[in-house]
Amino acid sequence: MPVATQATMKGVTARQVKDVGITLILNNTYHLGLRPGTEILDLVGGSHEFQGWNGNLLTDSGGFQMVSLAKLSVVTEEGVMFENPFVAGDRVMLKPEDSMRIQHSIGADIMMQLDDVVASLTEPVRMKEASERSVRWLDRCIEAHEAEGHHKKQNLFAIIQGGLDKDLRDRCLDEMLKRSDRLPGYAVGGLSGGEEKSIFWQIVLQCANRLPEEKPRYCMGIGYGEDLLVCAALGIDMADCVFPTRTARFGLALTFDGHLNLRLQKYKEDFEVIDKDCPCPTCDKGNGLSRSYLHHIVTRETVGAHAITLHNLAYQHRLMQGIRESILEDRFPQYLKTFFKRFFKKGEDYPKWAVDALRAVNVDVLEDQPGVEPKGDAKWDVAE
């Protein structure tokens, strides 16, 4: 899911997003609750109408801002008190009930519970508090969501917390699975926050193994191509990240052959498109804008960010569509092997964490490269 935080992705319209094949995007509850506010959203009939988007829509709960705006917030059992970044001296209380009310006004097809979000490397006492509070807040969200029948048209997902502590994760899973009859789906939260990826994938697998197969499983904050493939192999259905759109504004184009930093001088005389097989308007299957032209305008002209954003969205849609099709056609292991061989070029460049994760689900992407050892572990870049 591409992220349209304030009911828009910078530089592209809702129609353009739809035209590259995307059917589900993400809006931000905290930001839309402040601007334009629920009064406007109620008047217009929700965020679909407001932003001209006739696809599906998922909203986060506002909980992530406890991390991203930590200096502006205070968490209590009642909810989260934020300093309003738009009005000096104003404070805004976000309770589980408030999060539901705002998401009802937005009209999201998929809503997230308000959870107590802390970074993955938070000290144990606070992590335990956050995990247990998220369960209590889930109950308040369910009650508020069902009170006026909204559950008949909007789907509420729970968010599994517990950081990197497997026992905490299991306890949170135990509690949230007890409420399964009132929850259409689940998310794995609290990751992608600076932890080692060798631990990250184990937590994802632990959660996916216990969550119901018949319900969507959403891993929050995942955007790199190799991360998406590994998480899908571990049992994840959905992901979101600002990576493809944010990185486009800095001139980084995503391809199946690796990332292209179009700011580099080597592209000054490169008259190929980003990807000759890509159908996006920027590439137009070889008939679009050249790397040289994009190098000329990137970070200088807004159309450069616009063009690369469209391409990156199309790339991730093609990547995920390829995963779906290969699973349906029973050739997903080969799809994984083909992706890694093309993207990383040499076996020793493969991330060790990814190789280990895939081996845990009986896929060895190095089986046709005997004697090759992947490179060392990696950590999440918190800027992702």
Side-chain angles (χ1 to χ4, degrees):
M1 295 171 286
V3 180
T5 299
Q6 305 208 38
T8 182
M9 276 167 247
K10 291 182 175 64
V12 294
T13 66
R15 176 61 182 268
Q16 289 172 320
V17 174
K18 179 184 177 182
D19 286 348
V20 300
I22 290 163
T23 59
L24 175 61
I25 66 172
L26 187 147
N27 280 182
N28 184 286
T29 296
Y30 168 80
H31 286 288
L32 293 185
L34 289 176
R35 297 192 310 181
T38 55
E39 289 186 8
I40 295 296
L41 291 170
D42 289 339
L43 281 173
V44 76
S47 192
H48 292 82
E49 289 292 328
F50 187 60
Q51 65 192 307
W53 173 253
N54 61 4
N56 288 312
L57 181 64
L58 182 147
T59 40
D60 69 358
S61 63
F64 178 68
Q65 274 62 48
M66 296 179 207
V67 175
S68 64
L69 299 177
K71 294 180 180 179
L72 301 177
S73 65
V74 177
V75 184
T76 65
E77 187 64 28
E78 184 182 13
V80 194
M81 181 69 77
F82 290 100
E83 291 184 27
N84 189 334
F86 306 117
V87 182
D90 185 32
R91 293 191 172 191
V92 180
M93 170 61 80
L94 184 68
K95 305 175 186 177
E97 296 80 6
D98 298 323
S99 177
M100 294 297 97
R101 174 180 54 80
I102 297 169
Q103 292 183 81
H104 292 154
S105 292
I106 291 171
D109 302 286
I110 301 173
M111 302 167 50
M112 306 307 298
Q113 73 155 110
L114 183 66
D115 53 337
D116 187 352
V117 184
V118 293
S120 60
L121 301 179
T122 298
E123 52 87 19
V125 173
R126 177 69 180 98
M127 184 64 73
K128 181 175 184 292
E129 176 188 55
S131 179
E132 293 174 349
R133 180 175 286 144
S134 292
V135 176
R136 297 192 295 272
W137 281 3
L138 172 61
D139 287 334
R140 290 168 61 184
C141 286
I142 290 173
E143 293 302 319
H145 182 51
E146 294 180 351
E148 297 180 14
H150 289 282
H151 63 293
K152 296 178 182 179
K153 56 184 179 180
Q154 292 176 275
N155 300 282
L156 175 63
F157 282 22
I159 304 176
I160 309 301
Q161 290 291 351
L164 308 181
D165 186 321
K166 293 184 178 181
D167 289 337
L168 268 184
R169 287 279 175 178
D170 270 336
R171 290 203 289 273
C172 191
L173 280 158
D174 288 341
E175 290 300 319
M176 291 184 170
L177 287 170
K178 291 177 183 177
R179 297 147 174 82
S180 187
D181 61 331
R182 301 170 81 179
L183 297 168
Y186 291 88
V188 180
L191 294 174
S192 314
E195 73 275 6
E196 292 183 356
K197 289 195 174 184
S198 60
I199 301 173
F200 158 82
W201 75 257
Q202 294 182 51
I203 298 296
V204 172
L205 181 59
Q206 174 190 0
C207 294
N209 279 345
R210 293 199 56 196
L211 291 173
E213 289 187 5
E214 72 277 8
K215 295 185 178 184
R217 292 172 287 192
Y218 164 28
C219 193
M220 308 177 82
I222 308 302
Y224 283 16
E226 62 269 32
D227 302 339
L228 291 167
L229 266 80
V230 169
C231 284
L234 298 178
I236 294 299
D237 304 297
M238 303 165 60
D240 78 286
C241 195
V242 298
F243 174 67
T245 49
R246 179 176 292 170
T247 199
R249 300 194 292 275
F250 294 95
L252 195 70
L254 311 181
T255 82
F256 289 93
D257 294 300
H259 302 162
L260 307 181
N261 183 352
L262 294 171
R263 292 174 297 175
L264 299 179
Q265 281 295 112
K266 67 179 181 178
Y267 295 110
K268 186 175 183 178
E269 296 181 4
D270 187 340
F271 300 104
E272 297 292 327
V273 298
I274 296 172
D275 180 351
K276 61 181 176 56
D277 296 320
C278 181
C280 80
T282 304
C283 297
D284 194 20
K285 291 195 171 183
N287 299 309
L289 304 176
S290 72
R291 299 174 184 181
S292 174
Y293 175 69
L294 292 169
H295 167 79
H296 171 64
I297 63 172
V298 71
T299 71
R300 298 183 183 89
E301 301 291 342
T302 55
V303 71
H306 168 89
I308 301 172
T309 296
L310 282 176
H311 166 78
N312 285 356
L313 291 174
Y315 161 80
Q316 286 207 318
H317 174 68
R318 292 168 66 207
L319 177 71
M320 297 303 290
Q321 190 68 19
I323 293 173
R324 173 189 286 271
E325 291 173 356
S326 68
I327 290 172
L328 291 172
E329 296 169 6
D330 200 23
R331 54 178 178 83
F332 184 43
Q334 187 55 50
Y335 185 80
L336 289 164
K337 294 172 187 177
T338 299
F339 174 88
F340 275 84
K341 196 167 188 177
R342 182 174 173 183
F343 191 85
F344 290 104
K345 304 297 188 295
K346 296 181 295 184
E348 61 264 29
D349 291 336
Y350 288 24
K352 184 178 185 301
W353 75 271
V355 173
D356 291 344
L358 293 173
R359 284 173 175 167
V361 289
N362 302 314
V363 178
D364 188 350
V365 291
L366 285 173
E367 66 180 351
D368 61 345
Q369 302 180 60
V372 172
E373 293 295 329
K375 66 181 180 181
D377 202 0
K379 293 184 179 181
W380 282 98
D381 176 357
V382 292
E384 293 176 18

